[in-house]
Amino acid sequence: MTDPSDTSLGDTPPEGTHDQDYNFAYLDEQTKRMIRRALLKGLAIPGYQVPFASREMPMPYGWGTGGVQVTSACLVPDDCIKVIDQGADDTTNAVSIRKFFERTAGVRTTEKTGEASLIQTRHRIPETPLEEGQILVYQVPIPEPLRFLEPRETETRKMHALEEYGLMHVKLYEDISSHGHISTAYAYPVSVEERYVMDPSPIPKFDNPKMHQCPAVQLFGAGREQRIYALPPYTDVVSLDFEDHPFTRLRNDGVCGLCGADDTYLDEVIMDDEGTRMFVCSDTDYCATRIEEAAE
Amino acid sequence: MNPIFSVRDITKFYGNQKGCEGVSFDLYPGEVLGIVGESGSGKSTLLNVISGQLEPDQGDVLFDTRHAGMVSTTAMAEPERRMLARTDWAYVHQNPRDGLRMAVSAGGNIGERLMNIGARHYGDIRETASGWMGRVELDTGRIDDRPSTFSGGMQQRLQIARNLVTGPRLIFMDEPTGGLDLSVQARLLDLLRNLVRELGLAVIIVTHDLAVVRMLAHRVMVMQRGQVVESGLADQVLDDPQHPYSQLLVSSILQV
């Protein structure tokens, strides 16, 4: 037992063990079982949103309650996890979730994409290609791609059931008519195995092609909206577009100011109040690895 | 000639309350049928039932589909019925706000039905939308404006364009001129009459306005308390009504 008066969250139990006040990976076994059933159903029907009894988690909605529950249900003691937030390993959200699992599951953590067996991500897919055996867990705010076009849940469910997806193209049409090109830059709708239209969570559309035929398992968890969906390995994922306005990836035109990469997704950083700015890789691990390799 | 649409003995009750009872009629291609009656006479219930939005308690609705001939739409699977509603059928609401997407531009509104049935070429969709705006006498320069910036009459014309773009063969109209001022009504009726003639559409139009019926309809059905009390050629019923209720209705038209 830990001292109840000690409220600091910074303590991590010794390597390889977890805080015995919690069940392994925080959630109780029945809850994990329920989530795993939803995950299996999601994997069996790629792109279909499976309702599940989302639990309250010790963090606010919008911080990844869905992703954390999915991760919790998938974790085994041998796992090595990596958590990223907008590509970075060192931001508040990523650090907090990593610490959460260090304490409640005692699993190893890493910042290296290649070493991780499970990666929980908020709004990016790592630049290093994923491999078989890895699991990528997405945090999803709004799982329903049609939500802002059709507010009725009963109606959107029916539209999915009957494959009535014309409305999705109305959104893209509106983009082109007001901006001259498809201006949707993130949460870009995709068609999965030519059946379900899916919201890939707010990843930049630069990352969309990485989902296609990805060897890793991709799981999506929306805690507040109580939905889970999934892409099994090697699934066809095609971004929606028009014949005369095909899908294009979008990245800032520049090279990373730290590692010099010219093919990664870049963040723009304002350097001072005189308009100086630089581009850096949004994927901090990829950038750091490149700098190390260059130094050797 | 075979009927395009056939309604047989339709009955709909809301609990003990009668919606409509024992209504039958045939509609032929190119024919305009007016359904008139006071509020609560069951005309909207009838329209909702035959357009597939409500399930009848009794009776059958048959439609002459392109591929399979006369098919019962009440026994049809829902995906098929919804497909029909997007292609061969059209429904013009009384309030254009019910039939339009107010947050989507005029072009997007017209293009939606095309995209619903698989159009995936932006240029073609836009060209078709622009063409239809011209046909319903809307300024094609306003193709990217939202319907909320349009006047009531323009919204109604936009709704009609949106419905006609997939080349439907049967149109349901629920009080299409309700809520519009008289001069706008006249213009809309003129437009409708031309489109109906030009495209050879079959139309079922529900209204309480006998002037609309006089102008558009070939045939008219008078409803009272859920039942059809009189039906016949429009001019015949309007000039020489036989049933006391029809006589009352005709004599209540305001004269200027």
Side-chain angles (χ1 to χ4, degrees):
Chain A
M1 281 294 285
T2 48
D3 177 8
S5 63
D6 176 19
T7 53
S8 70
L9 288 169
D11 299 353
T12 42
E15 183 81 30
T17 60
H18 65 92
D19 189 331
Q20 294 301 311
D21 288 349
Y22 296 102
N23 187 37
F24 176 73
Y26 187 76
L27 290 175
D28 62 274
E29 294 304 315
Q30 279 304 314
T31 301
K32 287 197 268 185
R33 182 165 180 257
M34 173 271 294
I35 294 172
R36 285 174 199 144
R37 288 175 69 114
L39 286 170
L40 288 175
K41 185 168 180 181
L43 284 165
I45 318 171
Y48 171 71
Q49 299 167 46
V50 186
F52 79 111
S54 175
R55 298 292 195 253
E56 294 233 10
M57 297 302 282
M59 60 178 73
Y61 288 127
W63 280 52
T65 51
V68 165
Q69 289 179 75
V70 171
T71 301
S72 172
C74 293
L75 274 186
V76 292
D78 289 342
D79 266 327
C80 179
I81 70 165
K82 168 183 164 78
V83 185
I84 49 175
D85 172 8
Q86 309 273 11
D89 289 277
D90 53 3
T91 50
T92 315
N93 191 280
V95 171
S96 307
I97 293 173
R98 194 159 53 226
K99 246 182 194 161
F100 177 78
F101 283 117
E102 273 172 8
R103 180 168 176 196
T104 60
V107 291
R108 286 177 298 130
T109 59
T110 181
E111 295 193 356
K112 298 263 171 274
T113 304
E115 285 172 14
S117 56
L118 188 149
I119 303 169
Q120 180 170 335
T121 175
R122 177 170 176 268
H123 313 348
R124 264 320 300 281
I125 298 176
E127 303 287 359
T128 313
L130 299 175
E131 289 157 18
E132 275 185 32
Q134 287 184 309
I135 300 176
L136 184 61
V137 176
Y138 297 77
Q139 301 173 195
V140 182
I142 309 277
E144 178 52 71
L146 301 161
R147 178 58 67 239
F148 292 108
L149 302 155
E150 175 54 67
R152 289 168 294 177
E153 172 71 15
T154 47
E155 189 62 20
T156 51
R157 275 199 213 186
K158 195 167 274 182
M159 291 162 83
H160 281 294
L162 303 179
E163 261 186 281
E164 292 180 0
Y165 290 132
L167 199 51
M168 209 69 249
H169 274 85
V170 173
K171 177 183 153 56
L172 303 180
Y173 172 96
E174 289 290 288
D175 268 4
I176 303 173
S177 71
S178 47
H179 301 287
H181 61 99
I182 299 179
S183 57
T184 302
Y186 64 94
Y188 192 102
V190 294
S191 169
V192 178
E193 291 284 332
E194 295 180 16
R195 177 60 183 84
Y196 284 98
V197 164
M198 184 187 94
D199 182 339
S201 85
I203 59 171
K205 67 176 171 181
F206 176 83
D207 284 343
N208 268 19
K210 294 182 194 165
M211 289 189 291
H212 178 63
Q213 290 290 326
C214 176
V217 177
Q218 300 174 79
L219 307 173
F220 299 77
R224 178 178 39 208
E225 302 291 322
Q226 314 196 319
R227 293 289 184 277
I228 280 172
Y229 48 105
L231 298 173
Y234 304 108
T235 303
D236 282 337
V237 179
V238 179
S239 305
L240 300 181
D241 58 5
F242 283 104
E243 287 158 17
D244 48 347
H245 286 267
F247 171 80
T248 49
R249 289 177 102 174
L250 178 78
R251 74 183 280 279
N252 281 319
D253 194 17
V255 293
C256 173
L258 300 176
C259 73
D262 59 359
D263 57 349
T264 57
Y265 190 72
L266 300 173
D267 285 339
E268 188 177 356
V269 185
I270 308 289
M271 304 302 289
D272 54 28
D273 57 0
E274 286 163 0
T276 319
R277 49 201 172 164
M278 76 185 280
F279 290 111
V280 292
C281 292
S282 130
D283 186 337
T284 52
D285 164 54
Y286 186 78
C287 194
T289 310
R290 272 178 57 91
I291 293 170
E292 268 171 40
E293 280 170 3
E296 274 161 20
Chain B
M1 191 154 66
N2 293 322
I4 186 173
F5 192 65
S6 182
V7 172
R8 303 226 194 290
D9 193 26
I10 285 292
T11 300
K12 174 74 187 174
F13 275 84
Y14 300 104
N16 288 327
Q17 204 68 31
K18 192 198 297 171
C20 59
E21 190 174 29
V23 180
S24 303
F25 64 87
D26 284 333
L27 188 73
Y28 291 85
E31 188 182 30
V32 181
L33 171 70
I35 302 175
V36 295
E38 61 193 354
S39 300
S41 61
K43 51 192 192 326
S44 291
T45 299
L46 178 65
L47 192 71
N48 283 333
V49 169
I50 62 180
S51 64
Q53 295 171 60
L54 275 178
E55 213 167 307
D57 294 330
Q58 203 187 68
D60 207 356
V61 180
L62 303 167
F63 178 70
D64 182 20
T65 55
R66 285 175 207 246
H67 51 278
M70 280 305 230
V71 171
S72 163
T73 61
T74 48
M76 202 178 251
E78 194 178 8
E80 228 180 316
R81 191 161 55 230
R82 281 173 71 114
M83 190 58 177
L84 207 55
R86 288 203 302 269
T87 52
D88 267 356
W89 289 5
Y91 193 103
V92 177
H93 293 263
Q94 172 174 8
N95 189 340
R97 281 164 194 274
D98 297 336
L100 292 172
R101 286 188 194 278
M102 299 307 279
V104 168
S105 70
N109 263 297
I110 300 177
E112 181 179 347
R113 272 171 82 104
L114 293 172
M115 292 183 247
N116 272 335
I117 57 169
R120 292 291 179 263
H121 191 284
Y122 175 80
D124 293 352
I125 293 168
R126 199 169 167 80
E127 202 175 309
T128 312
S130 169
W132 269 99
M133 283 187 76
R135 288 183 80 167
V136 295
E137 299 166 23
L138 288 170
D139 178 5
T140 50
R142 300 198 61 182
I143 188 165
D144 292 331
D145 290 354
R146 292 185 172 188
S148 48
T149 66
F150 287 12
S151 72
M154 288 163 73
Q155 287 179 1
Q156 196 57 285
R157 273 178 278 148
L158 181 63
Q159 192 193 178
I160 288 163
R162 168 184 159 93
N163 273 293
L164 292 183
V165 69
T166 47
R169 294 183 296 147
L170 173 62
I171 308 186
F172 303 97
M173 292 188 193
D174 188 5
E175 307 263 12
T177 57
L180 300 176
D181 71 56
L182 284 176
S183 61
V184 177
Q185 269 193 29
R187 193 166 162 206
L188 188 74
L189 286 174
D190 201 37
L191 173 80
L192 274 178
R193 191 168 58 173
N194 287 337
L195 284 172
V196 165
R197 286 221 182 120
E198 211 176 293
L199 304 169
L201 304 169
V203 181
I204 296 172
I205 183 163
V206 161
T207 181
H208 58 255
D209 188 344
L210 292 181
V212 172
V213 172
R214 171 78 87 180
M215 189 150 173
L216 283 180
H218 302 124
R219 216 147 47 93
V220 65
M221 263 170 34
V222 183
M223 287 186 76
Q224 189 192 23
R225 294 194 210 102
Q227 279 168 332
V228 176
V229 293
E230 184 169 356
S231 67
L233 296 176
D235 290 341
Q236 191 183 344
V237 173
L238 294 177
D239 291 341
D240 183 21
Q242 299 296 312
H243 190 272
Y245 176 70
S246 317
Q247 291 169 354
L248 177 75
L249 212 59
V250 171
S251 65
S252 332
I253 300 176
L254 290 177
Q255 302 291 332
V256 183

